Amino acid sequence: MGAGHDHGHVTAGTANRGRLAIVLGMMLTVAAVQVVGAVYSGSLALLADAGHTVTDSLGVALALVAVWVAAKPATDRRTFGYQRAEILAAAVNAIVLFVLCGFIVYEAVGRLQEPTDVSGPGMMVVAAFGLTLNIAALFVLRSGAKESLNVKGAYLEVMGDALASVGVIAGGAIVWLTGWSQADTLVSLLIAAIIVPRAWSLLREAVHVLLLSLIHI
């Protein structure tokens, strides 16, 4: 994410760090609830949405680190170390996401052949909880998004996660009203299809930066 418009202003930076930290906590809470909900309801879409939330949480975490680093004294050596830690975290996150998406696709193929019972109401309740926190997070970030590119980037991450939650709610409604459990499987594949390109882009950029850093050592 790009540098913010804080220009080292301590008050604005502190405010942005606070907003980002609050939103990061909210998103990690959503991810945890989604995982538990996926186990309880049997929903593959909720598990996929948890992966999507974790991806967005990393984006918010990197924005938080960027604001924190920007507020520190200009020391090339220390800043480089922080940036490398960010890149390594991004690379690990991308690899984990690939593994998760592989598992989701594997499970989805099996469920398409042999449908599994899924709790539509359970999907909707958990996804609605996630959507509620996402909307709250958008309000938390709204004013800061006008002041900082980092916060604006985090705002867009949360908005993307909110849209994914809407998709899960729609899938849960279909399962509940029609009993067609395949809707859950299709939503999970859709979310996985959204995650894969982002994970690939994240991994490619991380590897590129790491290779450049090795060349300059």
Side-chain angles (χ1 to χ4, degrees):
M1 293 188 182
H5 293 311
D6 300 313
H7 300 295
H9 195 283
V10 176
T11 303
T14 301
N16 288 330
R17 286 200 298 268
R19 293 188 187 101
L20 290 169
I22 290 171
V23 169
L24 179 59
M26 294 169 72
M27 295 182 72
L28 292 177
T29 299
V30 169
V33 171
Q34 287 170 334
V35 170
V36 174
V39 174
Y40 171 77
S41 66
S43 171
L44 194 57
L46 280 176
L47 182 60
D49 199 18
H52 187 268
T53 302
V54 169
T55 306
D56 292 338
S57 297
L58 178 68
V60 174
L62 292 180
L64 180 60
V65 171
V67 171
W68 176 63
V69 170
K72 296 183 73 65
T75 303
D76 293 338
R77 184 176 179 182
R78 291 176 64 185
T79 299
F80 178 74
Y82 295 139
Q83 291 174 342
R84 180 177 290 181
E86 289 182 49
I87 296 302
L88 286 173
V92 171
N93 183 74
I95 293 172
V96 170
L97 287 172
F98 276 123
V99 173
L100 175 62
C101 287
F103 172 78
I104 289 171
V105 172
Y106 175 79
E107 281 291 313
V109 171
R111 292 189 181 197
L112 287 174
Q113 296 174 347
E114 297 182 14
T116 302
D117 289 336
V118 178
S119 171
M123 288 176 62
M124 295 176 67
V125 169
V126 175
F129 170 78
L131 179 60
T132 300
L133 283 193
N134 286 327
I135 292 174
L138 289 175
F139 277 105
V140 172
L141 295 175
R142 185 174 58 177
S143 60
K146 300 176 183 178
E147 305 168 358
S148 168
L149 284 178
N150 286 315
V151 180
K152 183 176 181 179
Y155 184 90
L156 295 176
E157 298 277 5
V158 176
M159 184 177 293
D161 197 51
L163 293 175
S165 293
V166 171
V168 177
I169 291 174
I174 293 174
V175 173
W176 182 32
L177 296 174
T178 69
W180 189 51
S181 62
Q182 302 289 40
D184 171 71
T185 303
L186 295 178
V187 171
S188 70
L189 288 174
L190 177 61
I191 295 176
I194 295 173
I195 294 175
V196 169
R198 295 177 62 188
W200 171 248
S201 177
L202 186 65
L203 181 60
R204 184 176 58 184
E205 183 177 351
V207 170
H208 177 70
V209 173
L210 287 175
L211 288 176
L212 286 179
S213 67
L214 290 174
I215 292 174
H216 288 88
I217 292 178

